[in-house]
Amino acid sequence: MGLVQKLTKPFIDTFVFVWDFNLFLLNVLLPAHKPGHVVPAGAPGHGGTWPVYIAPKDGDSRSACPMLNALANHGILPHDGKNITFKELNTSVRQTFNFAPSFCFFVPKFSADFLDRSYWNDKFDLADLSKHNAIEHDASLTRHDAALVPDQGKPDLQLVDELLKEATGKTSEGGALLTKKDLSLALSKRRYAARKTNEAYTESKFHNMFGSANSSTMLTIFGGRVDDLRPMLTDERFAPNWEPRILSRFGLTMAAFNGTVLPVERGIDVKKIEQQEKARQQPQSETVT
């Protein structure tokens, strides 16, 4: 990060958090969007009509984030995933997923900073966002660790299937629903497995919180609905007629998002998974003896 970025970062961060909290308050006071009208008129996906899905081709750039890859697969971002401006990312994510403007500025600005680029003037490829231990992190729910699988642009279908099988909730229509407890359990299992299989595994409070935040979009933006999550996590595409489950007038703020992220992170118990694994292995050891 350049000197100017370092000097201005505290002031920008403070401004964004104040901005975000004001949007949080306005969401409480103002009426929400009506279902079917979350994506703004004129934007791709308005009324549930998404641009045609085209799977990535050889040479296309993709990230460790299914949602960003879906934007490219549907042509909302450049299909090759290259030469994207950070401001373009801001607008596309805002309109498509109904994140708050503060959220949509903060994350691309954070990305520009860790890539040592200018948010205002520079461009990036989606694969650039997979820089290890920036936004991409070990123990992802949809990717094996970068030390084991360097190409983070493709989901691991077995991991995705294991995640979605954790869903214990039900929608009003009877469909499978991923809950906060389900997500905490899935993250507990992944962190345990990643520690065992990846000798280069790294973990910190920051990365754990980022992991829980990334995963919690499944509960907020997608409402935990497995029928919507499966195409997003496997093919990285939008389900037909999909729209964000967040109806708030100014979108999902960071302040509101913490109401999901913090309980998910607090519910993670890797030691419990370790004890359960030892208990399963104990009878086998006794039989061998």
Side-chain angles (χ1 to χ4, degrees):
M1 189 186 301
L3 179 60
V4 174
Q5 289 172 303
K6 289 181 179 179
L7 292 175
T8 58
K9 187 176 187 303
F11 300 99
I12 292 175
D13 288 350
T14 299
F15 169 78
V16 171
F17 292 138
V18 172
W19 179 25
D20 185 80
F21 188 70
N22 285 329
L23 293 177
F24 170 79
L25 295 177
L26 287 172
N27 279 338
V28 174
L29 297 172
L30 297 178
H33 292 291
K34 295 180 180 180
H37 298 273
V38 180
V39 177
H46 176 68
T49 303
W50 294 98
V52 175
Y53 167 85
I54 301 175
K57 303 172 183 176
D58 290 342
D60 287 345
S61 184
R62 293 295 183 267
S63 74
C65 176
M67 294 165 69
L68 297 187
N69 292 346
L71 292 177
N73 292 339
H74 284 271
I76 298 169
L77 289 175
H79 187 270
D80 65 1
K82 299 177 181 180
N83 296 313
I84 302 167
T85 69
F86 293 97
K87 291 187 285 187
E88 182 181 7
L89 179 65
N90 178 331
T91 300
S92 296
V93 170
R94 167 83 179 108
Q95 293 180 339
T96 303
F97 297 110
N98 198 28
F99 283 100
S102 49
F103 210 142
C104 292
F105 171 78
F106 181 80
V107 176
K109 179 64 168 61
F110 176 81
S111 301
D113 288 346
F114 76 66
L115 292 174
D116 198 22
R117 298 178 194 175
S118 166
Y119 169 87
W120 309 103
N121 301 313
D122 290 338
K123 297 181 180 182
F124 67 97
D125 296 348
L126 286 177
D128 295 338
L129 301 180
S130 295
K131 181 179 179 180
H132 187 52
N133 279 343
I135 290 178
E136 184 278 331
H137 53 84
D138 286 335
S140 162
L141 292 176
T142 65
R143 269 92 170 146
H144 283 293
D145 295 349
L148 306 178
V149 182
D151 181 6
Q152 292 288 295
K154 298 178 181 178
D156 184 283
L157 299 185
Q158 182 178 349
L159 286 180
V160 172
D161 188 57
E162 290 172 357
L163 164 64
L164 298 181
K165 283 181 178 177
E166 296 287 354
T168 61
K170 292 291 182 183
T171 67
S172 57
E173 300 87 6
L177 190 73
L178 201 64
T179 69
K180 291 178 184 176
K181 289 184 178 180
D182 298 335
L183 193 55
S184 294
L185 178 59
L187 286 165
S188 299
K189 291 180 177 179
R190 272 297 292 137
R191 290 181 190 176
Y192 171 75
R195 290 175 185 178
K196 286 189 64 178
T197 58
N198 179 11
E199 293 182 356
Y201 179 79
T202 58
E203 185 177 311
S204 68
K205 288 184 178 179
F206 172 79
H207 293 132
N208 284 345
M209 284 300 298
F210 224 111
S212 291
N214 289 341
S215 304
S216 291
T217 57
M218 293 187 285
L219 305 182
T220 51
I221 302 300
F222 289 86
R225 293 169 177 258
V226 171
D227 287 346
D228 292 338
L229 286 169
R230 192 174 297 281
M232 175 57 61
L233 300 182
T234 55
D235 298 328
E236 300 184 332
R237 64 177 173 84
F238 296 105
N241 300 313
W242 181 83
E243 72 170 3
R245 297 290 172 177
I246 296 295
L247 303 180
S248 303
R249 176 64 55 176
F250 288 100
L252 179 64
T253 61
M254 292 181 282
F257 194 41
N258 285 335
T260 299
V261 176
L262 294 177
V264 167
E265 178 61 26
R266 284 198 298 264
I268 295 173
D269 191 345
V270 180
K271 288 184 179 180
K272 183 178 180 180
I273 301 301
E274 183 178 9
Q275 291 169 353
Q276 290 174 347
E277 288 299 315
K278 287 181 178 178
R280 289 193 189 98
Q281 295 170 7
Q282 190 65 35
Q284 296 176 4
S285 301
E286 292 175 356
T287 301
V288 172
T289 303

